[in-house]
Amino acid sequence: MATSTGQRGLRLDDQLCFALYAATNSVVRAYRPLLGEVGLTYPQYLVMLALWQDGVTAVHDLAARLQLTSSAITPLVDRLEAAGFVTRARASDRRVVLVALTEAGRLLEERVATAQQAVVCRTGLGDRDLADLRQELRDLADRVAATGTARGDATG
């Protein structure tokens, strides 16, 4: 078996992208069974988090908040509506669709908070370390996005 590191010395274990990918997968896998108990998928959970925090929100604003396209949000909202957690209504501007929590959706927040705390405990990180890690990741995302925008592309 060859152990060459290639011309550029690219190694999987040295890649930031892989470390982020592996960490994300681990966290999502930790959430999956806990959210499944309350009838949510992880992407649906993200939509619900935004609604619990922000209240009634237009689909396009929800998409921007979650850094997704409106077409990616729509099927999530469809399933949340079918489950009875949200409702949709047209705003006075008929092009705008507003998403609002139902009573069942509001009550779900307390049950989901238990799942969230269980995942936080699994990280083994204290409050300060978690806050610092979140901020570092936000800063990283902002820097990468700003660099891609400044160059006109995201290819680096």
Side-chain angles (χ1 to χ4, degrees), residues 80-133:
L80 289 168
E81 187 173 40
F85 298 135
V86 302
T87 60
R88 278 185 283 206
R90 296 250 176 224
S92 56
D93 177 344
R94 303 287 295 156
R95 297 170 295 178
V96 177
V97 176
L98 300 174
V99 182
L101 293 166
T102 63
E103 184 62 23
R106 281 188 288 280
L107 293 173
L108 191 61
E109 184 177 11
E110 190 174 317
R111 293 179 64 199
V112 171
T114 304
Q116 188 270 341
Q117 282 302 310
V119 174
V120 166
C121 286
R122 287 183 65 177
T123 69
L125 296 172
D127 291 345
R128 182 76 251 153
D129 289 337
L130 278 170
D132 290 347
L133 178 58

Side-chain angles (χ1 to χ4, degrees), residues 4 11 14-15 18 32 35 37-38 46 48 56 59 62 65 72 74 76 86 91 94-95 100 104 112 122 130 144 149:
S4 171
R11 293 177 22 89
D14 295 338
Q15 301 304 304
F18 182 69
R32 191 171 291 133
L35 294 172
E37 291 175 13
V38 297
L46 298 178
M48 294 298 289
V56 177
V59 169
L62 196 53
R65 178 95 156 98
T74 299
L76 297 173
V86 302
R94 303 287 295 156
R95 297 170 295 178
V112 171
R122 287 183 65 177
L130 278 170
V144 171
T149 302

Side-chain angles (χ1 to χ4, degrees), residues 13-88:
D13 294 337
D14 295 338
Q15 301 304 304
L16 172 64
C17 58
F18 182 69
L20 291 168
Y21 174 80
T24 298
N25 281 338
S26 293
V27 171
V28 171
R29 278 192 303 272
Y31 270 106
R32 191 171 291 133
L34 301 170
L35 294 172
E37 291 175 13
V38 297
L40 292 176
T41 63
Y42 185 76
Q44 291 168 344
Y45 166 65
L46 298 178
V47 171
M48 294 298 289
L49 283 171
L51 293 170
W52 289 323
Q53 182 174 338
D54 301 338
V56 177
T57 306
V59 169
H60 67 272
D61 292 333
L62 196 53
R65 178 95 156 98
L66 297 175
Q67 299 179 17
L68 296 170
T69 63
S70 292
S71 62
I73 291 292
T74 299
L76 297 173
V77 173
D78 287 345
R79 288 189 292 277
L80 289 168
E81 187 173 40
F85 298 135
V86 302
T87 60
R88 278 185 283 206

